[in-house]
Amino acid sequence: MLGFLKQPVVVAAEINVNLVALTVMGLVNRLWALSYPRAVVFDEVYYGQFVSLYMKRIFFVDDSGPPFGHMLLAFGGYLGGFDGNFLWNRIGAEYSMNVPVWSLRLLPALTGALCVPLAYQILVELHFSHCAAFGAALLILFENSLITQSRLMLLESVLIFFILLAILSYLKFYNLQKCSPFTAGWWFWLLLTGVACSCAVGVKYMGLFTYMLLLAIAGVHSWHLIGDQTLSNVSVLCHLLARGIALVVVPVAMYLSFFYVHLTLLYRSGPHDQIMTSAFQASLEGGLARITQGQPLEVAYGSQITLRNVLGKPVPCWLHSHKNTYPIRYENGRGSSHQQQVTCYPFKDVNNWWIVKDPGMQQLVVSNPPRPVRHGHIVQLVHGITTRYLNTHDVAAPLSPHSQEISCYVDYNISMPAQNLWRVEIVNRESDTDVWKTILSEVRFVHVNTSAVLKLSGASLPEWGYRQLEIIGEKLSKGYHQSMLWNVEEHRYGKSQEQKEREVELHSPTQADISKNLSFMARFTELQWKILTLKNEDTEHKYSSSPLDWITMDTNIAYWFHPISGAQIHLIGNVLTWASANVATLVYVCLFLWYLLRRRRKICDIPEDAWRLWVSAGGLCVGGWAVNYLPFFMMEKTLFLYHYLPALTFQILLIPVVLQHLTDHLCRSQLPKNAFSALMVAWFSSVYLVYRTFSPLTYGEPTLSAAELRALRWKDSWDILIRKH
Amino acid sequence: MTLAAGCRQAESGPRCGGLRQRRPRRPAGEQSRPAPPPRAWAPLEAPVGVWAPLASVTLLSFASRFYRLSEPPHVCWDETHFGKMGSYYINRTFFFDVHPPLGKMLIGLAGYLSGYNGTFPFQKPGDRYEHHNYIGMRGFCAFLGSCLVPFAYLIVLELSKSLSAALLAASILIFDTGCITLSQYILLDPILMFFLMGAVLSMVKYNSCADRPFSAPWWFWLSLTGVNLAGAIGVKFVGLFVVLLVGLNTVYDLWELLGDLSLSLVTLGKHLLARVFCLILLPLALYTAQFAVHFAVLNKSGPGDGFFSSAFQSRLIGNNLHNVSVPEHLAYGSVITMKNLRMAGGYLHSHWHLYPEGVGARQQQVTAYLHKDLNNLWVIKKHDSNTDHLDPSCSVEFVRHGDVIRLEHKETSRNLHSHQHEAPMTRKHFQVTGYGINGTGDANDFWRIEVVGRKAGKRIKVLRSQIRLTHLATGCILGSSGKTLPKWGWEQVEVTCTPYVKETPNALWNVEDHINPKLPNISLDVLKPSFPEILLESHMVMIRGNSGLKPKENEVTSKPWHWPINYQGLRFSGVNETDYRVYLLGNPVVWWLNLVTIGLYLLMATCAIVAIKRGVQLTVEFKELSEVLLHSGGKIMLGWLLHYLPFFMMGRVLYFHHYFPAMLFSSMLTGITWDTLLKFCAGCLSCSVGKRVYTYGTLALMLLIVYRHDGRQRTLQLLPLPFTCKIIPRYISLPCYATGFVIGLAY
């Protein structure tokens, strides 16, 4: 019973002092004086506003990436008790007392510090010596650009951390594969790979590059597994399934969960509501929901509605009309119908209200029971305030002469041959008898006589049209485009037959009762689509740079400048490390090609296992560098030096790999080996010296004099701020 | 015996190209195996079996492409561009286009030879040709378009050694309405596709000759590949994809040779050099030669002048820069015009009109103007004195790099001025105005003049020097943003002072006109650019032109994913109900079959490759089949990917017809894949049943294609895809049936 007590309880702990020392150094190096400067630094101004919105639970859309990174930063704010009350409007603004600067910056700094031991572990798992691994960690430790980036409330260091974690766990998993597949450890590292990948992608879309690289590597390894004929078919299948689940299914699920948390946290309406569809807006608290809550769902004859264009570009707007007519002649001499203007108006207005009328009946109220409008029904649209029919005819539109003009024409009381009939086509219908629903249905209006489609052209009218947006009748329906689709946003059943009463009714807020809840997947799809397609206006930035500038670090970014003391923080790398990393990459590629060609001719310069090591380490480091760097050449957005940092991290890991290979295989005798080691020591000391030299620009203190700053300007293209006295 | 390669006809020596001979390192055990069981499909024996189908396929192809070629007798779609450019070659006037010149030169040549005199204006689609001879140009394009079918036939035959696969691929192309429509008009696409398929065909042929390197046919096909590559890239830059395909194939080829230890390093070097010469140097030389011809032919000033730099324009007869002489170095007091270096940059311009209320300071407008005008003239003055340098008593003082100057507008005597007000369109830049009276302004009128890549103190040259004007007070740089000003600015181009110090052509200028009576004039002929310079410049202009073809906001554009599913076609002719209507749309059966086949191919290839990797024992037949599937099919699949995927990354405006090169590959893949699948099925079943399955399967596929072929593709309705299914074929041509039966009888 108590047999276990017969043996002494022994806890044998194995502590890798290297690892502990590196972690401590990393923490000191990254966390030292973290809350200095107590001012908004560079992109903190951008991420900060999202942290505030999280604190206030207000919905937003950020086109720069998925929400996981923002949520992590917000978590820091939550821990520090941030209430979200700070106006993020200017770089350099002092933080007020309620902003927990330290805890906001803590998470990026911690992840940045942990990159140091991760680098060590990765090289160890790649079967390189502890000495090489230690070297790699030191290089990461003394890389000024990585330090700057991790000491501020920015996302790059978090991204790099997850990337390295994914690589490390895959390597651990792969090394376990040979001896003990399907053990707990094997599963743990495999799953951790997937989780880390999804976190990396969740922080920034750049993480996708590394994810793809890992998938490719895993693909190659699986291919070898398929070729391994000692394994049975069933076990090969199990292996493949396990990888599929851990590296594809788990990341996708995690990614969805980020959005789930994001959408659960942010339930209040906010500044970016307008970008989303009416249905999405209605799912948020406040905003549109306050108006639409309890509207009747089915549009019926006699309904009073506002029609919102589904496209939402250039601005979201509603179908609108007003008393003013089109000018008889436009500036270019073309004539118009001189009928009442129909436009698209980007603000809520009583003139946005329209009444759905049955062409066969004269009344404008909803009968009891209401007769719903279905797909394919013919309706007339009466403008609520002016009571004129929406019409189109063979007159050229004001700005798009190839299309028909849309106007409002004749009062509904005057009986005329019906030429203002519109066919309602519900585009997202499920069956052909679908009812036209508020908010949910996307509808196309086809003019019965001319088969023109009501469309937003996107151009804004000149002064006579009050700069509102032009509405046209597009005759050739070039397939499906969102600018032709409309949805009902506000809706009520009309009750008053008299025009005066109706005007009062139109002015009053809508009321009634039903709720429309979107499913999570629908909300996710919409938000994801908006994030991917939302295009910010192409902005030129003083510190933007092109990818070619990054390799040689021809550019820097001034992050912060103290207006009085002149202390400053720059994103500027350790020049020596960058140069060495470039040389290492070049050496690697040349040697690799040399070996490859020679091996093809059956001449082996290095032993087989050294070659395999060389390929795997290089594939990871050079591959990681390439996938994180080369795609930027094809991107058209504004790019900054910090986009290069993930690629740089991989390139730095390559330096010790190349160095160890050179010592092991190219220095044959003892003498060059010793000389090489001495050279290494000298080189590492100079790396440290460069780090010390630039650390005032990295940490923002101590303040340097103008002469010292000028001395630090090693390249003419660097923009270091020197005050004129 | 498998079918030998085409080079058999050239030599009667050892056979080349047979699939078996090309794999010398086959395990010995395999060869000593007993003969394989009788096959379900008939191997091809006589050359008659190859030539007769080829002839009929070619005949059908020509018949379908030349049928009613002259209709409609008006300009269709892009004929308005390419026909017009053909006319430019005949008239020898200079123009600008985003594509390299070969295609348009050939169109021009065809027109010239067929008696077209270049007088038709080609103004807009729908213009009637009347008495002008346009058949020659259309016929030329249709001829090249017809060649695609025999090319596809030969390529598939060479790759798969199977007559039925070749016939299947050929019939797909013969009866594809899209290919027919695209071949019948004066367009670049038939020319491009001709060279593209020619390159693939010769590549495949020289691969087949690999067992006899350096023989005459080997050299012939290798250099023909190079010639075709030059042709493909000379028509459109899309030709780069086929260059990539051939390049990858060559790298693979060399890699195999490198692994062959029986070859000495010297032989390897010879292989490498031969390929470098035929596939790199030869195409480059031909490509350059095209441009040489292009520049030699077009020697008159024309609509393309404005796109090019001042130096370039001096080559063109009729341009005002041709054969003029001006002083070479800028001096104080010189009257100059300054041209912006960005494409279609315009001259620095000012006029009496002021910026309107609310747009920066209410001072005189400064813009960039594309036409020559007196208001483009500026006088260079010293920043601190207002002396008249043209006074004969003054000595000539040259402007030097780094000098601080003042630019005075000649007509209005206002100084070029900038200040920290935001520019009218580009809000982050500073406004540039004309300021001061009779040359007296303030310190904001001072600019430092610098030449790119020059040391301080050097003089500044007309035309040659690239000048940057830095505003002294704010440090910003004078540039043209390229945005058009609204009505108040007479729709001229905005000029700003940019605080972002970047090396872009937007911020660089050169001096074009230069008037200074005190300086000796030199002839500008010495400044004429050399051929490499104009070659480089025309490429830069073409690349910028291509990337400038951005879709406008809210424009409905064709997306690459629309293409393979035949989602939406292109209207070639006929807006109204009564017009003669031509609509470019693929034969839905063909296109959807192609689409399904790509999935099928991937599935089959995966199965085959996994089976081989897992070491499954295959019979010789299946080994051969998987060899064809993986190697030959793989090449074609790669071609399809290379001609399709890059479009997803292109930012420019895309059209449906961009998919047709990829569609050719996809059709050939269909031929190979279905043939392999049917052979495989036949191999699995017993002999007689298998034979029947194979024969009927092939027949059924062909009839399916023929059935959906609507010979009168010109009358297709303007309907999106879901409705095209309702189009009932008007007639099914008898010859198509006949071919089907002939093929059936062959088995």
Side-chain angles (χ1 to χ4, degrees):
Chain A
M1 185 75 183
L2 293 170
F4 66 91
L5 287 178
K6 285 176 190 158
Q7 297 287 324
V9 181
V10 178
V11 180
E14 201 177 296
I15 295 174
N16 185 337
V17 181
N18 280 1
L19 212 54
V20 174
L22 284 171
T23 314
V24 171
M25 280 199 284
L27 286 174
V28 170
N29 179 313
R30 260 72 169 174
L31 261 67
W32 180 72
L34 193 60
S35 46
Y36 173 87
R38 240 197 113 74
V40 182
V41 180
F42 199 59
D43 266 357
E44 286 187 345
V45 74
Y46 182 72
Y47 294 117
Q49 52 181 336
F50 299 130
V51 172
S52 283
L53 289 173
Y54 270 113
M55 294 301 128
K56 295 178 174 171
R57 306 296 190 81
I58 292 174
F59 176 78
F60 65 86
V61 182
D62 176 25
D63 62 330
S64 72
F68 184 56
H70 303 333
M71 283 196 286
L72 283 182
L73 294 182
F75 182 65
Y78 172 75
L79 290 184
F82 182 39
D83 55 3
N85 288 327
F86 184 74
L87 194 60
W88 306 87
N89 60 351
R90 186 172 62 85
I91 297 175
E94 287 276 327
Y95 281 119
S96 53
M97 284 318 291
N98 64 333
V99 184
V101 185
W102 192 80
S103 62
L104 277 174
R105 288 179 184 161
L106 178 66
L107 217 71
L110 272 181
T111 50
L114 288 178
C115 287
V116 178
L118 276 180
Y120 177 85
Q121 288 278 61
I122 285 177
L123 277 217
V124 170
E125 289 300 323
L126 276 172
H127 305 297
F128 280 86
S129 68
H130 285 269
C131 181
F134 202 77
L138 282 184
L139 287 174
I140 299 277
L141 185 68
F142 295 130
E143 174 50 51
N144 300 59
S145 54
L146 291 179
I147 299 174
T148 314
Q149 203 69 16
S150 49
R151 285 171 47 80
L152 302 167
M153 192 175 65
L154 304 171
L155 288 179
E156 269 71 21
S157 66
V158 185
L159 171 70
I160 294 172
F161 168 77
F162 282 120
I163 287 177
L164 291 183
L165 183 65
I167 299 275
L168 176 67
S169 24
Y170 185 78
L171 287 174
K172 288 247 186 205
F173 152 78
Y174 181 66
N175 290 336
L176 279 175
Q177 165 77 27
K178 286 164 208 155
C179 45
S180 51
F182 298 110
T183 54
W186 185 89
W187 275 110
F188 172 75
W189 290 116
L190 180 58
L191 286 172
L192 188 60
T193 314
V195 170
C197 280
S198 62
C199 290
V201 177
V203 172
K204 282 202 157 208
Y205 281 122
M206 255 193 91
L208 263 178
F209 300 141
T210 312
Y211 179 45
M212 291 294 149
L213 178 76
L214 267 184
L215 280 187
I217 292 176
V220 171
H221 287 159
S222 313
W223 185 240
H224 291 315
L225 214 64
I226 292 175
D228 182 358
Q229 284 165 27
T230 57
L231 290 174
S232 70
N233 283 345
V234 176
S235 69
V236 167
L237 211 63
C238 287
H239 270 292
L240 294 182
L241 264 180
R243 282 164 176 77
I245 289 173
L247 298 181
V248 179
V249 178
V250 169
V252 169
M254 288 277 296
Y255 185 75
L256 286 179
S257 71
F258 298 150
F259 274 87
Y260 186 78
V261 176
H262 177 75
L263 287 172
T264 319
L265 283 179
L266 306 180
Y267 59 86
R268 292 193 183 129
S269 78
H272 297 162
D273 277 14
Q274 299 262 301
I275 303 167
M276 311 307 287
T277 59
S278 309
F280 193 101
Q281 290 183 41
S283 70
L284 296 170
E285 191 180 279
L288 185 68
R290 202 176 301 147
I291 305 168
T292 58
Q293 209 177 32
Q295 287 182 162
L297 179 66
E298 297 184 345
V299 177
Y301 290 108
S303 279
Q304 301 176 348
I305 55 175
T306 62
L307 287 165
R308 181 184 197 260
N309 192 274
V310 172
L311 179 65
K313 280 176 201 164
V315 280
C317 62
W318 291 268
L319 190 69
H320 178 98
S321 182
H322 40 235
K323 276 258 158 40
N324 308 63
T325 55
Y326 288 109
I328 300 178
R329 295 232 162 265
Y330 299 119
E331 290 94 332
N332 55 11
R334 273 195 299 116
S336 81
S337 64
H338 198 51
Q339 293 171 5
Q340 183 172 315
Q341 296 173 13
V342 174
T343 64
C344 202
Y345 188 53
F347 302 98
K348 300 252 163 159
D349 188 79
V350 70
N351 268 327
N352 297 348
W353 283 95
W354 298 82
I355 301 165
V356 182
K357 178 177 168 294
D358 183 349
M361 306 228 265
Q362 203 39 244
Q363 60 177 9
L364 289 183
V365 291
V366 174
S367 57
N368 197 11
R371 286 184 307 126
V373 182
R374 291 174 193 279
H375 171 74
H377 278 192
I378 310 273
V379 299
Q380 286 171 319
L381 288 174
V382 181
H383 185 241
I385 297 294
T386 61
T387 61
R388 283 163 190 263
Y389 286 118
L390 185 75
N391 185 39
T392 180
H393 44 203
D394 195 11
V395 173
L399 301 177
S400 318
H402 50 275
S403 305
Q404 293 195 142
E405 182 190 85
I406 303 275
S407 63
C408 269
Y409 181 55
V410 298
D411 196 273
Y412 86 102
N413 276 326
I414 301 161
S415 45
M416 286 268 291
Q419 289 192 351
N420 33 37
L421 304 179
W422 297 86
R423 191 170 56 247
V424 177
E425 291 185 2
I426 301 170
V427 176
N428 56 349
R429 63 182 180 273
E430 273 149 20
S431 73
D432 275 353
T433 53
D434 254 16
V435 177
W436 185 6
K437 296 196 187 83
T438 313
I439 292 184
L440 302 174
S441 296
E442 293 177 352
V443 174
R444 196 157 66 160
F445 294 99
V446 185
H447 189 238
V448 174
N449 285 28
T450 60
S451 65
V453 179
L454 190 72
K455 180 184 166 177
L456 172 70
S457 79
S460 41
L461 297 169
E463 275 314 321
W464 55 258
Y466 306 99
R467 306 246 165 239
Q468 296 172 7
L469 299 168
E470 185 197 32
I471 293 287
I472 56 171
E474 174 97 354
K475 247 182 128 176
L476 298 163
S477 55
K478 281 197 217 137
Y480 162 93
H481 195 259
Q482 284 193 322
S483 60
M484 295 176 188
L485 300 185
W486 302 83
N487 71 307
V488 172
E489 191 164 284
E490 293 172 67
H491 175 214
R492 69 166 89 81
Y493 286 152
K495 295 194 186 69
S496 27
Q497 185 59 273
E498 280 308 305
Q499 173 62 12
K500 279 276 169 266
E501 286 173 40
R502 198 159 50 231
E503 271 182 39
V504 175
E505 195 178 21
L506 288 172
H507 278 283
S508 63
T510 46
Q511 249 145 55
D513 210 53
I514 27 165
S515 61
K516 298 159 233 26
N517 270 330
L518 277 183
S519 69
F520 163 68
M521 275 319 278
R523 280 160 51 108
F524 162 74
T525 329
E526 186 182 339
L527 180 58
Q528 176 70 80
W529 185 244
K530 288 281 155 106
I531 288 177
L532 290 180
T533 54
L534 196 67
K535 248 187 278 169
N536 259 352
E537 206 179 304
D538 175 45
T539 48
E540 202 176 1
H541 195 278
K542 190 169 183 214
Y543 289 105
S544 66
S545 48
S546 77
L548 269 183
D549 300 335
W550 300 344
I551 317 182
T552 48
M553 204 170 62
D554 277 338
T555 168
N556 69 322
I557 306 177
Y559 269 13
W560 174 76
F561 181 75
H562 195 281
I564 300 154
S565 72
Q568 43 196 302
I569 294 180
H570 285 260
L571 181 71
I572 204 162
N574 189 324
V575 188
L576 189 58
T577 314
W578 289 51
S580 323
N582 288 331
V583 171
T585 313
L586 208 64
V587 168
Y588 179 86
V589 171
C590 293
L591 267 180
F592 175 78
L593 285 178
W594 174 249
Y595 288 151
L596 190 71
L597 292 179
R598 303 253 295 170
R599 283 174 65 83
R600 189 72 189 164
R601 301 295 293 176
K602 299 275 182 298
I603 308 165
C604 292
D605 302 281
I606 50 172
E608 192 62 25
D609 51 342
W611 165 250
R612 224 171 280 145
L613 199 62
W614 182 239
V615 171
S616 61
L620 205 63
C621 299
V622 178
W625 172 75
V627 294
N628 280 297
Y629 175 52
L630 300 182
F632 283 106
F633 283 97
M634 284 183 288
M635 287 189 195
E636 283 175 5
K637 57 180 208 164
T638 320
L639 296 175
F640 293 95
L641 182 63
Y642 59 72
H643 285 126
Y644 185 58
L645 294 180
L648 177 78
T649 314
F650 280 102
Q651 220 188 2
I652 290 177
L653 292 185
L654 188 67
I655 300 178
V657 168
V658 170
L659 286 180
Q660 194 184 354
H661 181 83
L662 291 182
T663 35
D664 287 357
H665 297 286
L666 297 182
C667 305
R668 295 271 153 81
S669 60
Q670 199 55 44
L671 188 67
K673 268 192 184 175
N674 289 343
F676 201 75
S677 311
L679 213 65
M680 279 310 91
V681 173
W683 178 72
F684 264 103
S685 340
S686 13
V687 167
Y688 178 73
L689 273 181
V690 175
Y691 156 71
R692 288 299 306 166
T693 317
F694 283 99
S695 65
L697 295 184
T698 304
Y699 293 96
E701 57 186 5
T703 310
L704 297 181
S705 70
E708 285 170 309
L709 284 172
R710 229 170 267 130
L712 276 184
R713 201 174 157 197
W714 289 11
K715 285 195 177 181
D716 290 339
S717 52
W718 286 355
D719 198 355
I720 289 173
L721 309 169
I722 300 164
R723 281 196 302 173
K724 293 175 200 152
H725 288 287
Chain B
M1 181 51 56
T2 50
L3 179 76
C7 42
R8 181 174 57 176
Q9 271 74 37
E11 301 251 341
S12 57
R15 289 188 155 195
C16 61
L19 202 66
R20 251 164 256 172
Q21 287 93 329
R22 263 194 294 142
R23 311 271 153 219
R25 285 181 290 119
R26 202 171 258 263
E30 222 167 88
Q31 276 155 358
S32 59
R33 249 188 221 172
R39 303 196 179 169
W41 60 91
L44 283 163
E45 298 284 356
V48 175
V50 187
W51 290 110
L54 177 62
S56 54
V57 154
T58 315
L59 197 73
L60 266 177
S61 165
F62 272 83
S64 59
R65 266 68 176 168
F66 276 89
Y67 175 67
R68 294 168 73 184
L69 183 67
S70 59
E71 291 177 18
H74 57 241
V75 177
C76 288
W77 196 50
D78 269 0
E79 283 190 341
T80 173
H81 297 302
F82 301 119
K84 195 191 294 168
M85 289 164 189
S87 309
Y88 284 138
Y89 279 104
I90 294 174
N91 299 326
R92 310 191 69 174
T93 42
F94 189 76
F95 68 95
F96 162 72
D97 185 40
V98 293
H99 304 299
L102 181 66
K104 290 153 299 184
M105 280 200 296
L106 289 176
I107 289 173
L109 183 70
Y112 182 72
L113 292 180
S114 62
Y116 166 63
N117 56 7
T119 46
F120 186 69
F122 283 100
Q123 260 174 352
K124 61 176 193 304
D127 287 355
R128 301 214 151 261
Y129 283 113
E130 310 291 353
H131 62 278
H132 294 277
N133 190 351
Y134 63 98
I135 295 295
M137 292 187 273
R138 276 199 189 163
F140 171 71
C141 291
F143 175 79
L144 296 186
S146 312
C147 292
L148 297 179
V149 177
F151 281 4
Y153 172 86
L154 289 173
I155 293 171
V156 175
L157 192 63
E158 194 67 47
L159 283 174
S160 68
K161 314 293 174 203
S162 160
L163 182 64
S164 50
L167 279 174
L168 192 56
S171 53
I172 285 176
L173 290 182
I174 292 176
F175 300 120
D176 179 50
T177 46
C179 285
I180 296 177
T181 313
L182 200 63
S183 301
Q184 286 194 314
Y185 303 96
I186 310 172
L187 300 174
L188 293 186
D189 302 79
I191 311 177
L192 169 75
M193 293 198 284
F194 172 80
F195 284 117
L196 185 152
M197 289 295 266
V200 177
L201 176 62
S202 22
M203 175 186 94
V204 167
K205 287 278 188 189
Y206 102 74
N207 280 348
S208 301
C209 296
D211 60 334
R212 283 188 319 146
F214 308 114
S215 62
W218 187 86
W219 276 112
F220 173 73
W221 289 118
L222 185 59
S223 39
L224 196 60
T225 313
V227 172
N228 277 315
L229 288 184
I233 200 163
V235 176
K236 274 189 177 189
F237 284 124
V238 183
L240 266 178
F241 302 143
V242 74
V243 175
L244 213 59
L245 176 68
V246 173
L248 286 175
N249 176 64
T250 313
V251 167
Y252 174 76
D253 208 21
L254 285 172
W255 183 246
E256 291 286 303
L257 289 174
L258 187 70
D260 186 353
L261 293 180
S262 66
L263 297 177
S264 71
L265 278 180
V266 178
T267 325
L268 276 180
K270 270 161 73 182
H271 271 287
L272 181 67
L273 277 183
R275 282 164 175 80
V276 167
F277 177 76
C278 289
L279 299 179
I280 298 176
L281 297 182
L282 180 68
L284 267 184
L286 286 175
Y287 183 72
T288 322
Q290 288 161 21
F291 273 87
V293 174
H294 170 75
F295 292 128
V297 170
L298 302 181
N299 58 1
K300 291 186 199 151
S301 164
D305 292 13
F307 289 92
F308 289 84
S309 68
S310 322
F312 190 98
Q313 294 177 32
S314 67
R315 294 174 49 256
L316 301 168
I317 301 170
N319 190 291
N320 58 356
L321 286 172
H322 185 70
N323 279 342
V324 290
S325 48
V326 294
E328 191 180 5
H329 296 287
L330 285 194
Y332 287 103
S334 291
V335 178
I336 58 167
T337 60
M338 305 234 302
K339 188 173 197 297
N340 192 257
L341 280 186
R342 63 189 292 281
M343 190 183 76
Y347 300 94
L348 188 67
H349 177 99
S350 183
H351 38 230
W352 282 111
H353 305 273
L354 305 183
Y355 283 104
E357 202 72 56
V359 183
R362 210 169 142 69
Q363 294 171 4
Q364 185 170 308
Q365 296 173 16
V366 172
T367 62
Y369 189 47
L370 277 159
H371 302 276
K372 310 223 163 180
D373 187 283
L374 273 184
N375 272 327
N376 298 344
L377 294 176
W378 299 81
V379 188
I380 304 183
K381 298 238 167 136
K382 289 204 150 182
H383 70 281
D384 45 2
S385 70
N386 209 3
T387 50
D388 184 9
H389 292 272
L390 295 183
D391 181 14
S393 61
C394 279
S395 61
V396 174
E397 195 176 343
F398 288 107
V399 182
R400 289 168 198 279
H401 172 90
D403 279 5
V404 176
I405 60 158
R406 191 157 57 78
L407 272 182
E408 193 178 303
H409 189 237
K410 186 147 187 290
E411 290 295 303
T412 61
S413 296
R414 298 213 194 272
N415 293 326
L416 187 72
H417 176 99
S418 182
H419 44 216
Q420 295 208 344
H421 287 274
E422 60 185 28
M425 313 292 291
T426 319
R427 301 276 167 175
K428 287 189 162 185
H429 293 184
F430 298 138
Q431 187 193 24
V432 176
T433 64
Y435 181 73
I437 297 164
N438 284 332
T440 323
D442 63 8
N444 271 335
D445 301 346
F446 302 155
W447 301 80
R448 177 179 293 113
I449 187 165
E450 285 164 328
V451 180
V452 176
R454 195 71 71 77
K455 286 202 195 78
K458 289 278 164 82
R459 291 177 188 178
I460 291 163
K461 285 183 184 167
V462 171
L463 288 173
R464 283 270 175 102
S465 295
Q466 304 190 340
I467 296 169
R468 188 171 42 213
L469 285 176
T470 312
H471 191 237
L472 214 57
T474 56
C476 62
I477 294 175
L478 185 74
S480 161
S481 66
K483 294 176 189 164
T484 311
L485 292 173
K487 210 146 228 142
W488 56 256
W490 310 99
E491 279 156 14
Q492 294 171 3
V493 181
E494 184 196 36
V495 165
T496 62
C497 196
T498 161
Y500 308 115
V501 186
K502 291 267 169 60
E503 285 288 326
T504 58
N506 288 14
L508 294 178
W509 304 79
N510 72 345
V511 175
E512 190 164 297
D513 299 307
H514 181 202
I515 307 159
N516 195 332
K518 288 163 75 180
L519 293 175
N521 285 352
I522 59 146
S523 170
L524 267 182
D525 281 350
V526 293
L527 297 176
K528 255 188 199 167
S530 63
F531 178 69
E533 279 171 355
I534 50 178
L535 191 65
L536 187 70
E537 180 179 346
S538 55
H539 276 86
M540 295 309 292
V541 173
M542 274 191 279
I543 288 165
R544 267 186 240 146
N546 251 322
S547 56
L549 291 174
K550 291 271 158 61
K552 290 181 204 89
E553 195 68 28
N554 282 347
E555 197 178 17
V556 186
T557 50
S558 184
K559 301 265 167 23
W561 64 264
H562 291 171
W563 303 339
I565 58 171
N566 217 3
Y567 178 79
Q568 204 171 48
L570 257 177
R571 181 156 43 83
F572 267 34
S573 158
V575 184
N576 301 318
E577 297 277 336
T578 51
D579 286 349
Y580 198 105
R581 291 174 151 208
V582 182
Y583 193 59
L584 176 71
L585 191 71
N587 181 341
V589 169
V590 166
W591 285 56
W592 293 342
L593 181 69
N594 282 348
L595 193 66
V596 170
T597 309
I598 285 164
L600 181 71
Y601 174 79
L602 290 177
L603 190 73
M604 284 167 64
T606 316
C607 289
I609 206 165
V610 168
I612 293 171
K613 187 84 182 171
R614 288 297 293 167
V616 176
Q617 289 301 316
L618 295 172
T619 63
V620 182
E621 272 175 32
F622 286 158
K623 265 200 182 142
E624 268 174 27
L625 282 182
S626 54
E627 183 81 4
V628 168
L629 193 68
L630 294 178
H631 277 260
S632 312
K635 262 175 210 167
I636 300 293
M637 184 74 191
L638 183 68
W640 180 74
L641 289 174
L642 283 176
H643 282 84
Y644 181 45
L645 292 191
F647 286 104
F648 283 94
M649 286 182 276
M650 281 188 196
R652 61 162 281 176
V653 187
L654 297 172
Y655 297 101
F656 176 53
H657 72 104
H658 287 149
Y659 183 67
F660 278 82
M663 187 267 172
L664 295 178
F665 284 99
S666 166
S667 306
M668 291 192 279
L669 188 69
T670 307
I672 294 178
T673 311
W674 284 94
D675 184 59
T676 317
L677 182 71
L678 288 173
K679 275 183 183 168
F680 180 77
C681 293
C684 290
L685 299 168
S686 72
C687 186
S688 60
V689 180
K691 189 168 181 171
R692 224 168 289 151
V693 165
Y694 178 57
T695 315
Y696 289 128
T698 315
L699 252 174
L701 274 173
M702 291 198 188
L703 289 182
L704 185 71
I705 292 158
V706 172
Y707 169 71
R708 291 309 317 223
H709 167 61
D710 181 5
R712 297 172 57 112
Q713 88 282 1
R714 289 144 192 271
T715 49
L716 281 180
Q717 296 294 302
L718 274 168
L719 290 171
L721 181 79
F723 301 100
T724 50
C725 309
K726 291 180 192 157
I727 301 162
I728 299 154
R730 297 280 166 79
Y731 70 88
I732 298 161
S733 50
L734 266 179
C736 308
Y737 267 135
T739 342
F741 281 118
V742 168
I743 299 159
L745 290 175
Y747 296 99

